[in-house]
């Protein structure tokens, strides 16, 4: 879905300008200091000029589009320029950001059709937003102040930057930012920031190799990648190291590959290959000067044809190669922006996407409050919004991204700081349909950070889970977007009700008065049912006509079930039964059951299985460990 920014329609505005014979002037982004700064003028007298006033033959693109087209101007937005460099290497992606580019290009044969208006698209909060701008660009002494191209008559980078700036309020709002955010805005993908100093990447060769495979996969499937070396103080920001790299500076990754060593036909039969990565400095200069830098001796080990295939050049153009080991030794942060492919026609992995929009808002009633803060706030944490989803495979890789609305546009009003946000993932009962009022088994979550988005990639076993997105502090309000990606549909939905609603039939059929949680931990010594003496067991919990069935556990007589069921009970005197079965192709066989008496209170106990007649002289082999959390009075929830 494409949404016009502030209701401005590109086609309507261009048609009006052509009819009136005038060039477009954007009333929403005037040629004044308020479009440049939100604090104070730091660059002097600025003159706004159209491309025709800067050169005689302007174009959007000169000889196509490439990462070499971009040079950072007088603004600390290397994060944005690095993302643009990555974008420029992906035709399918930049054509989304720069739609109808041929139609927007200057036409020398029909100069009367030019109306001084352009439009670009960015993914924001679940929608592609179409942003209209005029072509007036800020200059000082006849030179573009901000992002510009190598070619004086190429303007795509300056115009894309202006459209992005318009959404953010002013140019100064881009001074410092997060490359991960820009990559998402260009693709609608999901960015995963990685700290390379953690998880043993630098010390463990096997982990480095696994990471290279992940980086290569993201790159080969059209994703965008950025990296940086963390600066630990203001003095270190953009400080050049002896190796030529710059601290606190975002680099775009423009290629990832295994490079064949050797010359001639024999090189094709050698197993020697280097894992290598290519990067670009948005400044367009200052490169890595270590092994495999542009003119280093190491390149003699690679054939000329291989160098041509890799695009190796000996120029100070800001782009350079290095081995992945050297990359890991020098860089501290990596951002992988995955493109989320949901097409069933694709040869690559597809994802099932669930998108939830919600908000944190305050209310005096604890049952209606949705701004409870993080787990530090034990009394209010579970008052936050809650979303339930299912993992339907024995194990699934789950991607979860929580995003808040960008606040850059409100910097001028002193409201531009992001909230510190994060989320918890808790494993819950297989049949949960109402909101949680007590914490359960935490299986994952994110860090809390005042970033526009937080991300977690996690492998989860089959079961039901609840995600609780929160602000770090309670009482803070804001809108958020929650995206969940799984291999099979997760049936994600918000939990809105606190308990079963009362209906007109409640008086006749009875309304639940108690809520009981039954948790089956494990079983031991089950009778073998298969030819190899083991079972494929599963458990069923039954209560008042309701049942919960666990997944099947393969080839075991001692399954770790970790299965929970939640029952809203009308008949507190009715027992709860736990039945174990062995899964067979034709008909499942009964292994035994445990009957829990109605008066059972909170306990954890190992119980012997019996047959369905509950004859105590006919115990079946095996035990089952059960935890019962009995029966909160429902009205106290």
């Amino acid at each position: 879905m494409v949404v016009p920014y502030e209701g401005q329609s590109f086609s309507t505005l261009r048609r009006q300008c052509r009819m009136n014979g005038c060039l477009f002037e954007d009333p929403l982004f005037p040629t004044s200091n308020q479009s440049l700064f939100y604090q104070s003028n730091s660059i002097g007298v600025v003159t706004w000029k159209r491309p025709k006033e800067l050169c005689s033959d302007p174009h959007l693109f000169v000889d196509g589009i490439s990462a070499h087209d971009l040079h950072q101007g007088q603004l600390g937005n290397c994060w944005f320029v690095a993302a643009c460099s990555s974008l420029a290497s992906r035709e399918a992606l930049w054509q989304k950001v720069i739609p109808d580019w041929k139609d927007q290009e200057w036409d020398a044969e029909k100069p009367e059709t030019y109306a001084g208006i352009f439009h670009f698209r960015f993914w924001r909060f679940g929608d592609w937003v179409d942003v209209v701008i005029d072509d007036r660009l800020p200059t000082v002494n006849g030179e573009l102040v901000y992002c510009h191209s190598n070619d004086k008559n190429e303007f795509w980078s300056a115009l894309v930057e202006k459209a992005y700036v318009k959404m953010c309020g002013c140019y100064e709002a881009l001074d410092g930012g997060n490359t991960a955010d820009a990559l998402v805005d260009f693709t609608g993908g999901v960015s995963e920031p990685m700290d390379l100093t953690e998880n043993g990447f630098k010390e463990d060769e096997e982990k480095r190799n696994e990471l290279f495979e992940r980086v290569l996969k993201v790159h080969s499937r059209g994703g965008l990648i950025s990296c940086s070396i963390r600066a630990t103080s203001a003095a270190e920001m953009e400080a050049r190291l002896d190796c030529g790299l710059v601290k606190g500076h975002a680099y775009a990754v423009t290629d990832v590959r295994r490079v064949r060593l050797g010359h001639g036909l024999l090189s094709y039969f050698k197993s020697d290959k280097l894992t290598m990565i290519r990067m670009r400095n948005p400044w367009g200069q200052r490169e890595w000067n270590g092994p495999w830098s542009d003119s280093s001796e190491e390149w003699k080990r690679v054939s000329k044809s291989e160098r041509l295939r890799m695009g190796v050049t000996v120029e100070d153009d800001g782009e350079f190669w290095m081995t992945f080991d050297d990359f890991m030794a020098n860089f501290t942060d990596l951002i992988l922006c995955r493109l989320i492919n949901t097409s069933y026609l694709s040869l690559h992995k597809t994802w099932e996407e669930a998108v939830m929009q919600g908000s944190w808002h305050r209310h005096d009633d604890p049952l209606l409050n949705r701004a409870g803060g993080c787990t530090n706030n034990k009394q209010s944490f579970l008052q936050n919004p809650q979303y339930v989803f299912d993992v339907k495979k024995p194990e699934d890789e789950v991607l979860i991204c929580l995003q808040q609305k960008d606040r850059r546009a409100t910097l001028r009003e002193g409201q531009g700081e992001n909230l510190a946000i994060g989320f918890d993932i808790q494993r819950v009962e297989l049949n949960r349909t109402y909101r949680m009022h007590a914490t359960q088994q935490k299986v994952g979550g994110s860090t809390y950070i005042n970033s526009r988005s937080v991300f977690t990639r996690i492998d989860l076993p089959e079961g039901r889970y609840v995600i609780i997105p929160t602000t770090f502090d309670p009482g803070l309000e804001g809108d958020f977007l929650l995206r969940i990606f799984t291999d099979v549909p997760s049936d994600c939905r918000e939990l809105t009700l606190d308990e079963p609603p009362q209906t007109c039939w409640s008086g006749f059929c009875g309304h639940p008065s108690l809520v009981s949680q039954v948790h089956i931990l494990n079983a031991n010594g089950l009778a073998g049912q298969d030819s190899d003496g083991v079972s494929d067991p599963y458990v069923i919990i039954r209560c008042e006509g309701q049942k919960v069935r666990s997944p099947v556990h393969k080839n075991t007589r001692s399954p770790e079930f970790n299965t929970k069921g939640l029952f809203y009970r009308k008949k507190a005197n009715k027992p709860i039964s736990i039945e174990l079965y062995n899964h067979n192709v034709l008909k499942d066989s009964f292994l035994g059951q445990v009957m829990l008496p109605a008066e059972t209170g909170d306990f954890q106990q190992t119980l012997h299985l019996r047959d369905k007649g509950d004859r105590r002289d006919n115990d079946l082999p095996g035990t089952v460990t059960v935890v019962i959390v009995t029966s909160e009075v429902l009205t106290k929830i």
Side-chain angles (χ1 to χ4, degrees):
M1 181 178 178
V2 178
V3 178
Y5 182 75
E6 298 292 343
Q8 288 182 307
S9 167
F10 169 73
S11 57
T12 301
L13 291 170
R14 184 171 69 169
R15 184 169 60 251
Q16 289 173 351
C17 289
R18 286 174 173 175
M19 288 175 60
N20 298 331
C22 64
L23 297 179
F24 178 60
E25 295 185 6
D26 187 2
L28 301 185
F29 198 75
T31 55
S32 64
N33 278 2
Q34 77 177 58
S35 297
L36 296 171
F37 317 106
Y38 69 88
Q39 290 181 327
S40 59
N41 186 333
S42 58
I43 58 176
V45 179
V46 172
T47 304
W48 296 76
K49 292 188 176 184
R50 297 184 188 268
K52 270 286 190 182
E53 300 173 272
L54 295 170
C55 67
S56 59
D57 185 28
H59 291 279
L60 263 183
F61 307 121
V62 174
D63 297 327
I65 181 172
S66 86
H68 298 280
D69 295 341
L70 293 120
H71 291 277
Q72 185 181 342
Q74 298 181 42
L75 193 63
N77 68 338
C78 62
W79 59 277
F80 172 80
V81 179
C84 283
S85 294
S86 297
L87 178 74
S89 64
R90 302 291 192 187
E91 182 175 357
L93 296 181
W94 68 252
Q95 287 191 4
K96 274 190 172 182
V97 174
I98 312 174
D100 315 316
W101 65 272
K102 290 183 179 179
D103 181 53
Q104 295 198 73
E105 183 65 89
W106 279 264
D107 189 343
E109 296 180 0
K110 298 179 181 178
E112 70 281 358
T113 62
Y114 185 72
I117 184 172
F118 291 87
H119 71 130
F120 303 93
R121 289 175 182 166
F122 307 102
W123 189 92
R124 279 303 184 93
F125 218 65
D127 293 314
W128 283 94
V129 179
D130 194 80
V131 183
V132 172
I133 58 167
D134 62 35
D135 65 350
R136 298 177 295 178
L137 299 169
T139 68
V140 171
N141 298 325
E143 300 288 335
L144 291 173
V145 177
Y146 301 118
C147 191
H148 54 280
S149 176
N150 272 334
D151 294 286
K152 296 288 187 181
N153 60 333
E154 183 177 61
F155 290 93
W156 75 266
S157 58
L159 293 169
V160 167
E161 182 185 51
K162 180 176 180 178
Y164 197 82
V165 162
K166 180 177 174 179
M167 285 196 312
C168 297
C170 66
Y171 276 91
E172 191 183 0
L174 265 62
D175 197 359
N178 191 334
T179 305
D181 293 341
L183 294 175
V184 171
D185 291 340
F186 289 158
T187 64
V190 175
S191 282
E192 177 182 8
M194 301 186 70
D195 186 337
L196 301 180
T197 64
E198 296 181 345
N199 301 318
F201 288 128
K202 292 184 181 292
E203 300 80 23
D204 191 321
E205 182 179 2
E206 185 176 343
K207 287 188 175 181
R208 285 201 304 276
N209 292 338
E210 289 175 359
L211 180 60
F212 177 80
E213 293 299 330
R214 195 185 309 172
V215 173
L216 180 62
K217 184 181 291 185
V218 170
H219 176 74
S220 63
R221 294 185 178 179
L224 304 184
I225 305 170
S226 177
C227 55
S228 60
I229 303 171
R230 198 176 307 140
T232 56
S233 67
E236 286 187 347
M237 285 298 293
E238 301 198 339
R240 188 175 184 182
L241 303 175
D242 292 340
C243 63
L245 300 175
V246 180
K247 276 193 167 185
H249 189 63
Y251 289 79
V253 173
T254 56
D255 202 356
V256 183
R257 65 173 66 202
R258 288 187 176 84
V259 178
R260 183 180 288 110
L261 301 180
H263 296 266
L265 188 62
L266 288 177
S267 68
Y268 285 90
F269 298 99
K270 288 184 177 180
S271 59
D272 292 346
K273 287 186 179 180
L274 274 181
T275 54
M276 298 194 72
I277 187 167
R278 185 177 69 191
M279 281 153 288
R280 186 176 186 277
N281 184 339
W283 290 344
Q285 56 183 348
R286 297 192 182 179
E287 301 180 3
W288 159 255
N289 56 32
W292 299 94
S293 54
D294 281 2
S295 55
S296 68
E297 293 291 311
E298 284 84 3
W299 286 109
K300 293 180 180 179
R301 297 168 58 191
V302 179
S303 67
K304 183 178 180 180
S305 61
E306 184 80 347
R307 292 199 302 270
L308 288 173
R309 192 167 65 88
M310 295 172 63
V312 176
T313 58
V314 185
E315 297 178 42
D316 188 20
D317 56 4
E319 193 165 53
F320 55 89
W321 287 91
M322 62 197 308
T323 66
F324 195 70
D325 282 348
D326 281 338
F327 168 81
M328 292 297 297
N330 286 277
F331 284 85
T332 62
D333 294 275
L334 177 69
I335 298 170
L336 302 177
C337 182
R338 291 175 173 83
L339 299 189
I340 301 302
N341 182 3
T342 57
S343 171
Y344 289 103
L345 302 177
S346 171
L347 295 176
H348 294 313
K349 176 177 174 61
T350 59
W351 295 89
E352 294 288 342
E353 179 182 25
V355 180
M356 301 286 135
Q357 290 199 353
S359 64
W360 297 291
H361 53 269
R362 294 189 298 269
H363 199 283
D364 293 336
D365 185 343
L367 289 180
L368 300 177
N369 184 50
R370 293 294 179 266
C374 69
T375 52
N376 295 345
N377 308 281
K378 292 181 172 56
Q379 297 299 316
S380 59
F381 168 65
L382 290 174
Q383 295 171 11
N384 286 293
Q386 300 179 14
Y387 297 87
V388 65
F389 72 96
D390 294 323
V391 172
K392 299 177 182 177
K393 298 169 59 178
E395 187 172 78
D396 199 358
E397 181 184 37
V398 181
L399 310 182
I400 302 171
C401 180
L402 175 66
Q403 181 177 334
Q404 61 183 314
K405 280 194 172 177
D406 196 350
R407 299 189 170 207
R408 286 179 178 271
T410 58
L411 281 167
R412 186 173 279 106
E413 290 79 35
Q415 300 174 356
E417 292 300 319
N418 288 322
L419 303 174
I421 62 172
F423 55 85
D424 261 26
I425 310 167
Q426 301 203 11
R427 189 171 188 177
V428 298
E429 306 89 350
L430 290 174
N431 61 338
R432 174 168 285 278
T433 56
Y434 302 107
R435 287 176 55 83
M436 295 168 57
H437 295 277
T439 56
Q440 297 198 38
Q441 178 191 1
K442 179 174 178 177
V443 295
S446 72
T447 56
Y448 280 80
I449 187 171
N450 61 341
S451 172
R452 202 181 80 187
S453 64
V454 291
F455 172 90
T456 288
R457 177 176 47 82
I458 187 171
D459 294 323
L460 292 174
E462 188 173 353
R464 180 162 290 186
Y465 300 86
V466 166
I467 300 174
I468 305 173
T470 84
T471 58
F472 185 78
D473 295 314
L476 300 179
E477 298 189 315
D479 297 324
F480 63 81
L481 184 76
L482 178 67
R483 293 197 289 167
I484 302 164
F485 302 93
T486 50
D487 193 43
V488 295
S490 65
D491 300 333
C492 183
R493 59 202 180 278
E494 184 177 3
L495 297 176
T496 56
L497 298 177
D498 291 288
E499 60 182 53
Q502 296 209 32
T503 67
C504 59
W505 297 102
S506 297
F508 297 99
C509 304
H511 188 70
S513 58
L514 296 174
V515 56
S516 299
Q517 183 194 79
V518 183
H519 186 184
I520 312 301
L521 296 179
N522 53 52
N524 287 288
L526 300 181
Q529 297 291 322
D530 299 334
S531 59
D532 54 3
V534 294
S535 300
D536 296 335
Y538 63 89
V539 65
I540 294 178
I541 312 170
R542 298 185 190 272
C543 179
E544 295 189 31
Q546 305 172 64
K547 70 176 182 179
V548 169
R549 172 176 165 162
S550 77
V552 174
H553 291 249
K554 296 287 187 180
N555 300 322
T556 179
R557 294 184 63 192
S558 300
E560 296 288 334
F561 282 119
N562 193 20
T563 294
K564 290 186 283 189
L566 189 67
F567 301 97
Y568 292 86
R569 305 175 65 188
K570 301 174 185 177
K571 303 171 184 176
N573 61 339
K574 291 289 186 181
I576 298 172
S577 73
I578 298 167
E579 302 170 358
L580 271 77
Y581 291 85
N582 180 56
H583 178 65
N584 293 308
V585 175
L586 296 178
K587 184 180 180 181
D588 294 350
S589 52
F590 176 70
L591 296 181
Q593 72 176 359
V594 170
M595 298 296 293
L596 302 174
E599 64 271 13
T600 300
D602 296 2
F603 78 112
Q604 175 172 335
Q605 193 168 331
T606 299
L607 302 171
H608 287 275
L609 295 170
R610 309 183 189 283
D611 72 3
K612 287 188 177 180
D614 197 25
R615 293 195 298 272
R616 296 186 178 274
D617 59 348
N618 190 24
D619 284 2
L620 296 169
T623 60
V624 60
T625 304
V626 184
V627 175
I628 305 291
V629 180
T630 300
S631 308
E632 253 181 273
V633 177
L634 197 60
T635 55
K636 291 184 179 178
I637 288 179

